[in-house]
Amino acid sequence: CGEVLVKPGTVDSKFGRYLNLALKLREDADYVSEGGVFITAQIAKEQVERAGRFLAMAEAFMINRG
């Protein structure tokens, strides 16, 4: 997403940040038993809300591209 859509300015850079954070949280949660981060319900809720905004942006992007 970052190289193809965010850097050229095709989509808002916040969506690149959303994806980067989601990936980091997923990786950290995979290793919670080894000192990783425990994902709280609030963090999970925020990620689901951001995913919804990302999907709405992606749908609009695809529709506008024709």
Side-chain angles (χ1 to χ4, degrees), residues 17-29 47:
R17 290 191 301 275
Y18 287 178
L19 290 176
N20 288 336
L21 178 58
L23 177 60
K24 181 176 180 347
L25 289 170
R26 187 199 64 80
E27 290 170 348
D28 288 349
Q47 292 305 303

Side-chain angles (χ1 to χ4, degrees), residues 6-41:
V6 174
K7 280 191 178 181
T10 306
V11 300
D12 191 315
S13 62
K14 71 181 176 187
F15 293 109
R17 290 191 301 275
Y18 287 178
L19 290 176
N20 288 336
L21 178 58
L23 177 60
K24 181 176 180 347
L25 289 170
R26 187 199 64 80
E27 290 170 348
D28 288 349
D30 283 348
Y31 299 102
V32 71
S33 65
E34 299 168 14
V37 175
F38 178 77
I39 306 301
T40 64

